[in-house]
Amino acid sequence: AQKVTQAQTEISVVEKEDVTLDCVYETRDTTYYLFWYKQPPSGELVFLIRRNSFDEQNEISGRYSWNFQKSTSSFNFTITASQVVDSAVYFCALSGYGAGSYQLTFGKGTKLSVIP
Amino acid sequence: SQTIHQWPATLVQPVGSPLSLECTVEGTSNPNLYWYRQAAGRGLQLLFYSVGIGQISSEVPQNLSASRPQDRQFILSSKKLLLSDSGFYLCAWNLRVNYGYTFGSGTRLTVV
């Protein structure tokens, strides 16, 4: 069975601070995919990134960066120089691959509050 | 390009009344379709998913049902709403699960 753990339920930071959101996953699949979604107060979930299990390169997109480490089964998300607009709930998710895989397994989410 | 439409955006319904939420996807064929619920301050709970017309898989036995009358239409229904049905309902789609989901804008349901 697959499992995603986001141990941080809520985080508060002051604007311009860096913040890292942790994500640890469990799977028996050798091929799998990891995702991060952002849910702002409006409610709609917005896709941020998708990584496959064979690509351990870190990814940077503007102020966002992701650190994927298979050795520790982690896929952490860092926001540099946080802004108030980053305030949201962030979900990490995991999917398998191939026949019979139809759904993502989500973590319970981390609520990030950026204080001006 | 593909788009997903979900309506209504908000809904206030009395206990015991019926429910129908609709989700449609445009610009693609034979998508996988999903209904999720999010209770206030909680995580995402998968309710139903469908890999084709008339094919519905239920993840959680409850007061709700789903139907897929057309390829790109997914409907969430209830005959009699309960207070516990209140929440934020999200529809999502993909062509393959390893692509992730594209979510609709959600319906905020309050049962009073």
Side-chain angles (χ1 to χ4, degrees):
Chain A
Q2 298 184 331
K3 184 178 179 180
V4 175
T5 301
Q6 295 180 254
Q8 305 149 309
T9 305
E10 293 192 37
I11 302 176
S12 290
V13 299
V14 177
E15 198 171 19
K16 298 185 182 178
E17 288 184 346
D18 299 346
V19 59
T20 295
L21 309 182
D22 297 333
C23 173
V24 174
Y25 63 91
E26 297 176 27
T27 180
R28 293 184 179 179
D29 294 339
T30 54
T31 302
Y32 53 89
Y33 291 79
L34 294 161
F35 305 83
W36 276 95
Y37 286 86
K38 175 182 179 181
Q39 186 178 37
S42 62
E44 183 173 351
L45 273 89
V46 178
F47 168 84
L48 294 178
I49 189 171
R50 164 183 179 259
R51 303 293 286 186
N52 72 56
S53 51
F54 299 108
D55 183 0
E56 288 194 69
Q57 283 192 338
N58 290 336
E59 176 123 358
I60 299 174
S61 177
R63 297 184 295 106
Y64 295 173
S65 62
W66 290 269
N67 183 351
F68 175 29
Q69 293 196 343
K70 286 180 76 170
S71 60
T72 57
S73 297
S74 65
F75 186 43
N76 295 338
F77 174 29
T78 296
I79 302 174
T80 303
S82 59
Q83 300 177 1
V84 172
V85 293
D86 297 325
S87 297
V89 180
Y90 291 87
F91 290 94
C92 181
L94 167 69
S95 83
Y97 178 78
S101 292
Y102 293 112
Q103 58 180 280
L104 297 187
T105 299
F106 284 92
K108 294 188 176 182
T110 298
K111 182 177 181 180
L112 173 64
S113 298
V114 181
I115 304 165
Chain B
S1 63
Q2 301 94 355
T3 55
I4 180 169
H5 302 281
Q6 187 181 343
W7 65 94
T10 59
L11 195 57
V12 179
Q13 292 284 95
V15 168
S17 64
L19 172 73
S20 181
L21 302 181
E22 188 164 343
C23 172
T24 59
V25 179
E26 295 178 355
T28 189
S29 297
N30 198 29
N32 298 322
L33 296 170
Y34 305 83
W35 278 111
Y36 276 83
R37 178 170 63 193
Q38 187 177 32
R42 304 282 298 275
L44 297 162
Q45 180 187 34
L46 178 62
L47 301 176
F48 303 94
Y49 69 91
S50 172
V51 299
I53 296 175
Q55 300 179 60
I56 308 294
S57 295
S58 173
E59 291 296 303
V60 182
Q62 57 204 322
N63 187 40
L64 301 170
S65 62
S67 62
R68 185 170 176 172
Q70 300 181 39
D71 180 44
R72 292 168 290 170
Q73 184 185 29
F74 204 25
I75 298 172
L76 182 69
S77 303
S78 173
K79 292 182 180 179
K80 290 185 178 181
L81 284 168
L82 306 172
L83 286 173
S84 58
D85 291 324
S86 293
F88 189 55
Y89 289 81
L90 286 154
C91 182
W93 76 276
N94 60 36
L95 290 178
R96 294 182 65 170
V97 71
N98 55 295
Y99 295 169
Y101 294 153
T102 298
F103 285 91
S105 54
T107 296
R108 206 165 295 279
L109 172 66
T110 304
V111 182
V112 295

